[in-house]
């Protein structure tokens, strides 16, 4: 009585061979086609894919366009602010990097400090005017370098020339200070010899 169930099912399958009615497969495929037409589904998905691609491309394009116009607005406002504050310059040496800003601030502060300590009198007015005219020339050259920096863009030559200009202006102020001290000491010596 102990029969193997696997063999029993195998024998039953062999004895009962099911045969489908003629055309069953064709009827099934036609019903399937009516319910889920393959051609329409492919076209609708194709149009959806194209529409989604167009929407994505337009979204990215408008985002980049708005971002670029926003950046231009920011640059324009920066240029306007600098134009008012820096005698019509848009960016200067200090705007390029924090290190260059420190260098520019150092030289400008020292030059302004030397100018503030400058004492002009009738005796030294001619010397001071000569040095100040040279300082004005260097200021104009510095503005030209800043203009070049804005038009061409930052490069090593322009940056180096701007730093050299700042150094020359500070050296010029120090020479003026030395010259004024010499004039003052020679005047004091001349007065002391006249007294004796």
């Amino acid at each position: 009585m102990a029969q193997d169930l696997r063999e029993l099912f195998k024998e039953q399958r062999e004895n009962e061979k099911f045969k489908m009615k003629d055309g069953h497969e064709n009827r099934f495929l036609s019903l399937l086609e009516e319910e889920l037409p393959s051609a329409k589904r492919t076209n609708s998905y194709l149009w959806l894919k194209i529409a989604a691609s167009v929407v994505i491309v337009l979204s990215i394009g408008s985002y980049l366009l708005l971002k670029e116009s926003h950046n231009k607005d920011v640059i324009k406002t920066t240029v306007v602010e600098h134009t008012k504050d820096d005698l019509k310059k848009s960016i200067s040496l200090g705007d390029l990097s924090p290190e260059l800003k420190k260098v520019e601030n150092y030289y400008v502060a020292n030059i302004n400090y030397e100018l503030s300590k400058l004492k002009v009198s009738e005796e030294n007015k001619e010397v001071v005017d000569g040095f100040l005219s040279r300082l004005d020339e260097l200021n104009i050259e510095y503005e030209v370098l800043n203009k070049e920096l804005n038009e061409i863009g930052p490069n090593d030559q322009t940056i180096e020339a701007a730093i050299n200009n700042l150094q020359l202006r500070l050296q010029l102020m120090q020479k003026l200070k030395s010259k004024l001290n010499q004039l003052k000491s020679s005047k004091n010596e001349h007065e002391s010899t006249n007294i004796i």
Side-chain angles (χ1 to χ4, degrees), residues 71-87:
N71 288 343
K72 286 181 182 177
D73 290 342
V74 169
I75 291 171
K76 285 179 185 175
T77 27
T78 305
V79 169
V80 170
E81 290 172 5
H82 282 294
T83 303
K84 291 176 184 175
D85 298 335
D86 298 331
L87 300 173

Side-chain angles (χ1 to χ4, degrees), residues 38-145:
S38 61
K40 289 181 182 176
R41 189 172 82 185
T42 306
N43 286 340
S44 66
Y45 283 131
L46 179 65
W47 285 107
L48 284 175
K49 289 177 184 177
I50 291 172
S53 298
V54 168
V55 167
I56 290 172
V57 167
L58 289 175
S59 299
I60 292 172
S62 63
Y63 171 75
L64 292 175
L65 186 64
L66 289 174
K67 184 178 177 184
E68 184 178 323
S69 71
H70 176 70
N71 288 343
K72 286 181 182 177
D73 290 342
V74 169
I75 291 171
K76 285 179 185 175
T77 27
T78 305
V79 169
V80 170
E81 290 172 5
H82 282 294
T83 303
K84 291 176 184 175
D85 298 335
D86 298 331
L87 300 173
K88 299 183 181 179
K89 295 182 275 183
S90 53
I91 63 171
S92 67
L93 186 65
D95 295 330
L96 298 177
S97 76
E99 292 83 17
L100 289 175
K101 186 164 187 72
K102 286 179 187 176
V103 169
E104 183 181 43
N105 287 342
Y106 169 78
Y107 283 113
V108 170
N110 282 322
I111 292 167
N112 289 336
Y113 177 71
E114 293 296 330
L115 280 171
S116 69
K117 288 183 5 181
L118 196 62
K119 294 181 182 174
V120 182
S121 64
E122 290 296 320
E123 294 85 25
N124 64 12
K125 185 171 180 7
E126 231 177 270
V127 174
V128 170
D129 287 344
F131 274 91
L132 290 180
S133 68
R134 178 66 182 133
L135 187 66
D136 285 340
E137 291 172 11
L138 288 172
N139 284 336
I140 291 169
E141 287 178 26
Y142 189 73
E143 289 176 12
V144 168
L145 288 171

Side-chain angles (χ1 to χ4, degrees), residues 23-46:
H24 173 74
E25 187 176 344
N26 291 335
R27 283 192 313 271
F28 177 75
L29 289 175
S30 66
L31 286 173
L32 183 64
E33 184 67 32
E34 286 176 16
E35 290 295 320
L36 302 169
S38 61
K40 289 181 182 176
R41 189 172 82 185
T42 306
N43 286 340
S44 66
Y45 283 131
L46 179 65

